[in-house]
Amino acid sequence: AQKVTQAQTEISVVEKEDVTLDCVYETRDTTYYLFWYKQPPSGELVFLIRRNSFDEQNEISGRYSWNFQKSTSSFNFTITASQVVDSAVYFCALSEYLSGANNLFFGTGTRLTVIP
Amino acid sequence: GAVVSQHPSRVICKSGTSVKIECRSLDFQATTMFWYRQFPKQSLMLMATSNEGSKATYEQGVEKDKFLINHASLTLSTLTVTSAHPEDSSFYICSAGRTDRGYEQYFGPGTRLTVT
């Protein structure tokens, strides 16, 4: 069965600090997709990234970077030089090809608070 | 592009009444839409997968007769909460899958339902 674990329930950092949000997943499928979403206080989910299981290249987008390691089944998300606007709940999610790739399984989320 | 709207954004209803929530993909066609439920400070739980022109597929534990889903067109899916009870109070989020962009889902802004 698929599973997504975000062990960090809440994290607080001071503005300009770097912060890494952890995500560990479990799947028996060889083809799967990993996602990160941001949910600000308004509630709307904002898509951040999608990564397929065959692409282990790390990705950087501005202050955001993602580290995908199949060997440890992890897909961690780092925000550098954090800003107050980064305060939100961040969800890691998994979809499996064999389960119908559109079905997303979400982790429990990490609430990030950036203190000015 | 890839905008999904939900209406209403907030609704308060009395126990025993029914409430309909609409989910629309504004600038693309979505053969598949998804309905999620999110309790306060918890993760998103998939309720059902809605396919245009066919019956919805419900996740285990979700009552089909209570949560009626209709996907009559490629841009509209509706969720009707029938005979609402206070325990149905929750944040309901829909998403639409873009088949032309692999397995990306685009989320609506959510509907906060409060049953009194």
Side-chain angles (χ1 to χ4, degrees), chain A residues 20-78:
Chain A
T20 296
L21 309 181
D22 298 333
C23 174
V24 175
Y25 62 92
E26 293 179 30
T27 178
R28 294 181 180 177
D29 206 340
T30 56
T31 302
Y32 53 90
Y33 304 85
L34 295 164
F35 303 78
W36 276 96
Y37 286 89
K38 174 182 180 181
Q39 187 177 41
S42 61
E44 184 169 358
L45 280 171
V46 178
F47 169 82
L48 296 178
I49 190 171
R50 177 188 65 146
R51 178 65 59 182
N52 72 57
S53 52
F54 300 109
D55 182 2
E56 283 194 76
Q57 277 194 331
N58 292 329
E59 183 158 337
I60 297 174
S61 177
R63 296 185 296 107
Y64 296 168
S65 62
W66 291 269
N67 184 354
F68 177 25
Q69 293 196 344
K70 290 179 75 171
S71 61
T72 56
S73 297
S74 64
F75 187 43
N76 296 337
F77 172 33
T78 298

Side-chain angles (χ1 to χ4, degrees), chain A residues 10 33 35 37 39 41-47 50 89 91 95 97 100-109 111, chain B residues 4 32 34 36 38 41-44 46 49 59 91 93 97-99 101-110:
Chain A
E10 296 190 24
Y33 304 85
F35 303 78
Y37 286 89
Q39 187 177 41
S42 61
E44 184 169 358
L45 280 171
V46 178
F47 169 82
R50 177 188 65 146
V89 180
F91 289 97
S95 69
Y97 180 76
N102 277 324
N103 289 10
L104 280 173
F105 300 96
F106 285 84
T108 50
R111 181 177 300 276
Chain B
V4 177
T32 305
F34 304 86
Y36 295 83
Q38 185 181 28
K41 296 190 176 184
Q42 294 190 24
S43 188
L44 283 76
L46 180 66
T49 301
E59 295 299 303
F91 193 52
I93 306 173
R98 281 197 72 155
T99 53
R101 290 192 179 182
Y103 301 106
E104 290 184 11
Q105 285 188 35
Y106 296 89
F107 286 82

